[in-house]
Amino acid sequence: MHTADLLDALTDIRGRLTEGRALADLTWLRVGGPAELLFQPADLEDLQAFLRQLPDAVPVFPMGVGSNLIVRDGGLPGVVIRLGRGFNGIEFEGDTVTAGAAALDAHVARKAADAGLDLTFLRTIPGSIGGAVRMNAGCYGSYVADVFVSATVVLRDGSLREVTADDLNFQYRQSDLPDGAVLVAATFKADAGAPEALHARMTDQIAKRDSSQPTKDRSAGSTFRNPAGFSSTGQADDVMDLKAWKVIDDAGMRGATLGGAQMSEMHSNFLINAGGATAADLEGLGELVRKKVYDNSGIWLEWEIKRIGKALAD
């Protein structure tokens, strides 16, 4: 369906619908082409009405704050849905925390600590709750799956559905969210803790992160998963002896560059936009690192950064 026809088919939409919206400034890496359409719903009912009217053949990509994303230079066909202020509330009831999908992970961790609830592992995870659930985000041995109760999603027909951990089938850095579904809120069960102690722990975590990761550079967090069998899943039979940064170093790729892209000198599993990089530079360097690591160690690294959209035609 042509974009003009698609726009004509969508009526009574209260949110913002933008044709050809550049996505580079909405991602942490600051690269990528435009979305065919970007929809920013006014509220839940607006999102439901939009999806009810959207033809099934039109692809949908829910986008958070772009913290773990490379949008390719040719842009993204279909509709990108980006949730805003109507989806960032945080509520507490007993030992549960319910957060909107657009709420920032760090903000949820801080507010939970204020309420004496321990979601401190979220403090250093870049991004928003929707992405954290989708990717089963985690650090310091804790994962979303460990505290997850349920989530509310809007399906492609506009209907609401509550999903459980069994529905999502959480695995390392992934979940089985239905295709085209937009996650709008999630509920977590948290252990109790003294607010002062929880905040102190998060302060220590931030200091540790900033001392070992290039947090002031344009990156999208860890580029590759730790090698299979060494994935920090927290399971008793898993070990953490081998890290992605170690096999990258062993292949001589710390500080490697391609165009404006670079593997960070500070932490070699961080792909950064060192200045003027294109999405092709970043993805190309990542693929070069994967090949060099394989040639050196026989290990194929798996991308942790999500890559979407079309490359520019040669």
Side-chain angles (χ1 to χ4, degrees):
M1 177 179 285
H2 294 299
T3 306
D5 295 332
L6 181 55
L7 288 169
D8 288 342
L10 299 167
T11 61
D12 299 323
I13 300 301
R14 291 178 288 110
R16 181 179 298 176
L17 189 60
T18 309
E19 182 179 355
R21 172 62 160 87
L23 294 177
D25 64 325
L26 300 181
T27 71
W28 284 28
L29 282 166
R30 295 293 191 266
V31 298
E36 183 178 353
L37 285 173
L38 175 71
F39 180 53
Q40 298 164 278
D43 51 34
L44 177 58
E45 291 74 21
D46 193 37
L47 174 60
Q48 290 180 270
F50 177 86
L51 288 173
R52 271 196 299 270
Q53 296 177 57
L54 192 68
D56 291 341
V58 178
V60 166
F61 181 76
M63 180 177 172
V65 294
S67 60
N68 188 44
L69 192 65
I70 292 175
V71 178
R72 296 187 177 106
D73 301 304
L76 198 60
V79 178
V80 172
I81 294 178
R82 195 165 192 262
L83 306 182
R85 291 184 180 176
F87 299 87
N88 65 356
I90 305 171
E91 298 177 355
F92 303 95
E93 183 175 344
D95 61 355
T96 65
V97 181
T98 299
L104 295 178
D105 300 333
H107 190 52
V108 173
R110 289 193 299 264
K111 287 292 188 182
D114 290 343
L117 294 172
D118 184 1
L119 291 177
T120 52
F121 78 96
L122 288 172
R123 177 63 183 88
T124 57
I125 297 175
S128 55
I129 289 297
V133 172
R134 177 180 283 273
M135 293 295 293
N136 188 21
C139 62
Y140 304 113
S142 296
Y143 290 80
V144 164
D146 300 329
V147 296
F148 181 82
V149 176
S150 64
T152 303
V153 301
V154 182
L155 301 179
R156 276 300 304 263
D157 63 2
S159 63
L160 280 179
R161 179 179 165 192
E162 290 291 315
V163 294
T164 65
D166 287 342
D167 294 322
L168 293 181
N169 186 30
F170 286 117
Q171 298 178 53
Y172 178 66
R173 294 292 189 264
Q174 69 184 61
S175 66
D176 293 340
L177 200 64
D179 285 344
V182 181
L183 192 148
V184 294
T187 298
F188 310 102
K189 184 175 182 179
D191 291 336
E196 299 83 0
L198 297 175
H199 281 289
R201 183 189 304 166
M202 291 188 292
T203 298
D204 289 344
Q205 290 170 352
I206 290 293
K208 180 180 177 181
R209 182 196 67 181
D210 289 350
S211 69
S212 62
Q213 298 177 8
T215 53
K216 291 181 170 54
D217 292 324
R218 288 181 179 172
S219 82
S222 295
T223 304
F224 302 107
R225 300 179 182 184
N226 290 326
F230 303 88
S231 296
S232 313
T233 61
Q235 299 300 314
D237 61 348
D238 199 2
V239 291
M240 297 181 287
D241 298 340
L242 189 60
K243 301 288 192 180
W245 69 262
K246 179 66 167 59
V247 294
I248 293 170
D249 278 5
D250 290 347
M253 296 303 285
R254 180 181 289 262
T257 62
L258 180 65
Q262 181 181 22
M263 301 309 295
S264 171
E265 291 277 9
M266 185 177 193
H267 191 310
S268 57
N269 193 28
F270 278 67
L271 178 62
I272 63 174
N273 182 347
T278 63
D281 290 342
L282 292 160
E283 189 170 13
L285 179 56
E287 288 299 323
L288 179 60
V289 168
R290 293 182 72 235
K291 184 177 187 306
K292 292 287 189 181
V293 167
Y294 179 77
D295 289 345
N296 185 64
S297 65
I299 293 171
W300 277 116
L301 290 175
E302 294 184 44
W303 282 90
E304 188 161 319
I305 297 174
K306 189 173 183 65
R307 293 148 296 129
I308 60 171
K310 305 179 298 183
L312 284 176
D314 294 333

